[in-house]
Amino acid sequence: MNFGCHLPVYGPAATRDVLLGFARRMEALGYDSLWASDHVVIPYTIASRYPYSPTGDFPLPPTASFLEPLVALGLVAGVTERIRLGTTVLVLPHRHPVLAAKMLATLDHLAPGRVVLGAGVGWMKEEIELFGVPYERRGAWSDEAIRIMKACWRDERVAHQGEFFRFDALGVAPKPARGAIPIWIGGHTPRALRRVAELGDGWHAAFPSAEKMKAGLADLATACRKAGRDVASLTTSLAISARVGLPARQDSDALVREIKALADLGVSHVILETRVRDLDDLSAIYEKFARDVRSRL
């Protein structure tokens, strides 16, 4: 199993010094990946329900700093050599797909073969509609966007005529170092799992219990069968990843049980996230995990 860390891209810790210090330290500790999440703006009034809180309230105020993820990963790329760089997740409707494809390919060109696109359709209606995307059609918009991005990475001449985008032949370079960028689709709804089966290289689940992960994998197998995708070795043909909370006060035994349960289901990559924001405390928490938990897995 591979382990990644969520970068401190929001709140008071979202500074150059903290970001660079954290990235260097996590690579030195042997972590496999670094990840950034995505919000362009935080509205002062949010009617949309945040899906990862029991109250439905978004945990950050509108005044909180929230770094643009691809810019932040570009900074981190310059001070690391081995560690993979991913988004958890890039909200596709926030960016025109040709621009997003260009930014991701540039990042992968400068950090050759290290980029993973965790991609989702988003949940905050207020933010998505700010960029001109109809909220109720964001899934179809994102499907078309993914196809365009793949064409930008693959083809010398890129042209498209679709429902949401139309353009004549374009050249988009550089291309990704390995010819493509793996796309791990976020979400757990039937539409999200269909998107994994039809367009994805992996499934990126957010804060799942082992029970929910098992149910999700069964639903994903059904979606793959409907899409004509081989499900005989689902967890080897698709990357299965999970974003997991890392408490400041770790119960090592409980974390080992939780992660082993996910591993038994075929999860191959865990992205750890803690709400601690101070660099020294952040480093201590991830060092403790590497010492007390990872060594037991």
Side-chain angles (χ1 to χ4, degrees):
M1 179 177 278
N2 292 328
F3 291 93
C5 308
H6 192 285
L7 287 162
V9 293
Y10 55 80
T15 67
R16 173 186 171 85
D17 288 345
V18 173
L19 199 64
L20 295 182
F22 182 77
R24 291 183 180 114
R25 184 61 182 148
M26 295 307 105
E27 184 167 63
L29 283 169
Y31 280 94
D32 302 289
S33 56
L34 294 167
W35 299 77
S37 48
D38 182 25
H39 282 285
V40 179
V41 298
I42 302 175
Y44 274 83
T45 301
I46 302 174
S48 303
R49 182 178 178 82
Y50 180 56
Y52 307 114
S53 165
T55 66
D57 295 327
F58 188 61
L60 296 176
T63 53
S65 292
F66 206 122
L67 304 181
E68 200 287 323
L70 300 181
V71 175
L73 289 172
L75 179 68
V76 166
V79 297
T80 57
E81 296 294 334
R82 171 195 58 80
I83 203 162
R84 299 181 81 182
L85 308 170
T87 52
T88 177
V89 293
L90 198 77
V91 180
L92 294 170
H94 289 176
R95 297 161 187 83
H96 190 287
V98 174
L99 176 60
K102 173 79 170 189
M103 295 174 72
L104 286 155
T106 299
L107 180 61
D108 197 74
H109 177 72
L110 298 175
R114 289 202 276 150
V115 176
V116 178
L117 171 59
V121 304
W123 60 270
M124 191 189 294
K125 180 178 181 180
E126 295 84 354
E127 188 177 21
I128 289 167
E129 292 189 340
L130 172 68
F131 299 107
V133 178
Y135 182 76
E136 298 302 330
R137 295 286 290 154
R138 71 194 188 282
W141 190 102
S142 297
D143 289 349
E144 190 171 328
I146 291 171
R147 292 186 171 95
I148 290 170
M149 293 168 70
K150 287 185 172 186
C152 288
W153 298 332
R154 179 188 64 235
D155 299 338
E156 181 179 345
R157 294 169 60 90
V158 184
H160 183 82
Q161 300 293 321
E163 178 183 354
F164 302 100
F165 305 98
R166 296 177 177 226
F167 52 86
D168 295 329
L170 305 169
V172 186
K175 303 298 186 186
R178 296 177 182 172
I181 292 171
I183 301 175
W184 297 1
I185 302 293
H188 59 275
T189 65
R191 289 182 180 180
L193 297 176
R194 175 198 54 76
R195 190 169 295 112
V196 176
E198 294 180 358
L199 297 170
D201 303 295
W203 178 35
H204 184 48
F207 310 109
S209 64
E211 182 180 356
K212 289 183 178 179
M213 196 78 197
K214 183 176 182 179
L217 286 168
D219 292 341
L220 178 57
T222 298
C224 286
R225 279 191 290 271
K226 289 181 179 178
R229 191 164 190 165
D230 181 25
V231 297
S233 56
L234 181 64
T235 56
T236 55
S237 62
L238 285 168
I240 307 297
S241 62
R243 184 168 161 183
V244 172
L246 183 62
R249 296 183 178 180
Q250 298 173 22
D251 179 338
S252 298
D253 291 339
L255 273 173
V256 167
R257 288 194 298 271
E258 179 182 2
I259 293 171
K260 279 187 173 179
L262 293 173
D264 288 344
L265 292 171
V267 173
S268 58
H269 206 121
V270 167
I271 292 91
L272 302 162
E273 179 179 9
T274 182
R275 297 208 176 273
V276 173
R277 300 289 94 191
D278 177 83
L279 177 57
D280 290 339
D281 290 341
L282 274 170
S283 296
I285 288 169
Y286 284 104
E287 286 175 15
K288 177 176 171 57
F289 179 90
R291 182 184 66 247
D292 297 343
V293 179
R294 186 171 186 174
S295 61
R296 297 168 57 188
L297 295 168

